């Protein structure tokens, strides 16, 4: 009997929304950064995006999706979110806030729908890779579909 494919919450949401995607699983017991993940899967770095969670001075959470080799500009991020400032969420709080673990966090299907901003660099790409919602899983989909599924919008957020 064939092993049943295990879908993540993010994949179930994409299925429900009828958004096309593919996914790749890889062996990984613990957190590795996006660059290592891309290298392990032979993916082009410019198409692999990471998900970062911040907290604004208004105590709300904001999600930012950006290329793995890029750095989030906190001033631009705050401006996009419409707040005075944002700071990175502490690693120990990621699971409590998002429902995902570090290294498996994706903008699709968090515990709550937080305001999400995707680097406008994604607009020039046909597809991007993001975490599939658990360590060892990457999803590939069109940037506009990522925006739709995450309730996000494009923004200038890079250093």
């Amino acid at each position: 009997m064939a092993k049943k494919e295990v879908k993540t919450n993010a994949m179930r949401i994409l299925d429900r929304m009828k958004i096309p995607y593919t996914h790749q699983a890889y062996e990984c017991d613990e957190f590795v950064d996006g660059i290592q993940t891309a290298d392990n899967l032979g993916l082009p770095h410019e198409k692999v995006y990471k998900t970062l969670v911040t907290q604004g001075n208004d105590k709300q959470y904001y999600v930012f999706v950006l290329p793995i080799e890029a750095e989030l500009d906190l001033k631009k991020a705050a401006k996009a979110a419409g707040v005075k400032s944002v700071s990175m969420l502490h690693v120990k709080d990621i699971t409590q806030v998002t429902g995902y673990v570090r290294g498996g966090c994706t903008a699709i299907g968090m515990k709550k729908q937080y305001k999400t901003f995707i680097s406008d660099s994604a607009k020039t790409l046909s597809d991007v890779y993001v975490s599939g919602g658990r360590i060892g899983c990457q999803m590939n989909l069109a940037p506009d579909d990522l925006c739709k599924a995450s309730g996000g919008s494009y923004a200038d957020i890079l250093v």
Side-chain angles (χ1 to χ4, degrees):
M1 191 154 114
K3 187 177 171 191
K4 186 176 181 333
E5 181 181 355
V6 180
K7 294 229 174 189
T8 64
N9 191 38
M11 290 178 199
R12 285 189 288 275
I13 290 168
L14 292 173
D15 289 343
R16 241 188 343 266
M17 294 178 81
K18 297 186 180 358
I19 291 176
Y21 69 95
T22 59
H23 71 280
Q24 288 179 267
Y26 57 96
E27 285 300 315
C28 186
D29 297 328
E30 59 194 44
F31 170 76
V32 294
D33 66 24
I35 292 171
Q36 286 178 287
T37 299
D39 290 345
N40 289 344
L41 293 172
L43 302 175
H45 288 199
E46 64 277 2
K47 284 189 166 196
V48 181
Y49 279 55
K50 59 188 173 186
T51 303
L52 302 177
V53 183
T54 65
Q55 187 171 29
N57 64 300
D58 61 353
K59 301 296 180 211
Q60 298 298 311
Y61 298 106
Y62 299 96
V63 178
F64 297 92
V65 183
L66 58 152
I68 55 172
E69 292 183 338
E71 191 178 330
L72 181 65
D73 184 316
L74 294 175
K75 283 188 174 27
K76 288 180 179 179
K79 184 178 180 189
V83 294
K84 188 184 280 187
S85 65
V86 295
S87 58
M88 293 302 299
L89 185 66
H90 196 284
V91 172
K92 70 177 176 49
D93 297 326
I94 289 173
T95 303
Q96 180 185 347
V97 170
T98 67
Y100 291 120
V101 297
R102 178 180 184 219
C105 191
T106 186
I108 302 167
M110 288 189 177
K111 274 184 171 180
K112 289 185 178 174
Q113 181 69 52
Y114 301 115
K115 271 192 170 179
T116 300
F117 302 92
I118 298 162
S119 170
D120 54 13
S121 63
K123 289 195 287 190
T124 63
L125 301 172
S126 61
D127 61 312
V128 293
Y129 293 87
V130 294
S131 172
R134 71 168 171 259
I135 293 176
C137 180
Q138 287 287 300
M139 297 186 306
N140 177 248
L141 70 165
D144 286 349
D145 287 340
L146 177 61
C147 270
K148 182 179 173 186
S150 66
S153 58
Y154 293 111
D156 174 15
I157 56 173
L158 304 181
V159 169

